[in-house]
Amino acid sequence: MLPLLTPIHVGRHSVPNRLAMAPMTRSRADSDGTPGLLAADYYAQRASIGLIVTEGTQPSADGQGYLNTPGIHTQAHVAGWQTVTAAVHARGGRLFMQLMHAGRMAHPDNTPHHRQPVAPSAIAPGTDMFTATGMQAIPVPRALSTDEVRQTVQDFRTAARHAIEAGADGVEIHGANAYLVQQFFAPSANVRSDTYGGSIQNRARFAIEVAVAIADEIGTDRTAIRLSPGTTMWGIDEGEDGPALYRYLVAELDKLNLAYLHVMHQGNEPLLADMRQLWRQQLMVNRPGRPREQMGEDIAAGLADMESYGQAVLANPDFVERLTTNAPFNEADRATFFGGTARGYTDYPALDLTQSA
């Protein structure tokens, strides 16, 4: 357990331990995408973890996929997030805002402008999405023009500046989980014939341009990215050259000297080992569903510098304290993951309340 509890530098920041809160969609923002006071309580409760990575936050109206997810493209969004970051900082925590453009994983009923989703190519993911009127099939997206792809890069840049204005300590680019950045990687979602499609270099171009733009805007040491090599969810198929794409991508991103690379590991151990060798900065690894007795093993083995956890942190605001004292974990209530009130959001008991119950 000791390596997990040692301090580490994340870009320009020093954090007290090597644990991170993984980004998790909670769908509790106001209808206009502004995070409320409950979000401030939720994140502040978890400030003892080394680094909080927020839920995916849309950089533009086109970037929204789900109902009631937060944005960072209006002044109301900035003001709402200022309340959140102030609450986290008041408890000594650090917070990176994850910038997430959903791309084709969207429905017009869920967005403020009610427009058709946008994507690298006009290929639907072949799945349904929850809307205010129930589950609906995700429609075929509109393919972004080359100029629109470049404008989307600038949307990320502007959103990163807004995130820093809102008090975030940095931003994490969401390049995983079948959303827009990863859609560019996958031939099943990207059949473009311009400079953003076809070869490995072209399919990686959008991710690299977003990282360069954000790093130029807010500094390399406040810029990070999350990847999930091999994800097959929602129609994503990166093809036989998927591992080669990630080796190329990580090597190119490494040149930027970003704060960290966050890998949602899908099981390809040789690829993860190669990424460890290619990446010279902090590497954060997330293994979904990792049992408690294996927490810390990637750091101890030198495979990761930090480890991130999702549901365990969601259900345990004092995750670090419970882990270090071998106290029992609260169980996560899946029925309250998305949307709703304080129930299943800010009412999970901390250890002292559990002991006195």
Side-chain angles (χ1 to χ4, degrees), residues 264-339:
M264 183 177 175
H265 186 51
Q266 302 294 302
N268 188 331
E269 297 294 344
L271 178 58
L272 180 60
D274 286 349
M275 294 169 78
R276 168 77 280 184
Q277 293 301 312
L278 291 166
W279 188 257
R280 293 173 295 172
Q281 290 70 245
Q282 310 298 7
L283 178 63
M284 183 188 301
V285 174
N286 174 270
R287 293 179 184 261
R290 166 155 272 198
R292 179 173 183 157
E293 59 270 16
Q294 293 179 9
M295 292 179 178
E297 287 188 359
D298 284 334
I299 293 174
L303 191 58
D305 301 296
M306 299 184 73
E307 296 180 9
S308 70
Y309 293 93
Q311 292 182 27
V313 181
L314 179 155
N316 296 276
D318 52 354
F319 173 74
V320 176
E321 292 80 1
R322 288 175 182 268
L323 188 63
T324 56
T325 61
N326 202 31
F329 283 167
N330 299 320
E331 290 295 324
D333 177 10
R334 298 188 64 86
T336 59
F337 278 3
F338 308 111

Side-chain angles (χ1 to χ4, degrees), residues 46-166:
R46 291 152 179 81
S48 62
I49 202 158
L51 181 67
I52 291 171
V53 185
T54 74
E55 61 209 284
T57 303
Q58 54 259 13
S60 64
D62 279 345
Q64 183 168 0
Y66 304 104
L67 273 176
N68 300 119
T69 52
I72 190 63
H73 55 91
T74 72
Q75 285 306 305
H77 297 159
V78 172
W81 277 111
Q82 284 173 339
T83 302
V84 175
T85 59
V88 170
H89 291 153
R91 296 197 183 183
R94 293 290 186 185
L95 178 149
F96 270 46
M97 184 183 298
Q98 189 189 66
L99 300 182
M100 169 183 154
H101 192 305
R104 70 181 190 175
M105 291 303 302
H107 194 282
D109 287 2
N110 291 348
T111 62
H113 51 35
H114 304 298
R115 290 206 296 256
Q116 182 183 14
V118 296
S121 300
I123 304 171
T127 189
D128 296 339
M129 174 169 283
F130 183 79
T131 71
T133 57
M135 298 298 291
Q136 296 191 55
I138 294 178
V140 175
R142 180 178 64 80
L144 292 161
S145 69
T146 303
D147 285 345
E148 287 174 324
V149 174
R150 292 171 180 151
Q151 179 55 52
T152 303
V153 172
Q154 296 309 307
D155 290 342
F156 273 95
R157 175 195 284 267
T158 303
R161 182 175 70 249
H162 286 162
I164 299 303
E165 291 171 0

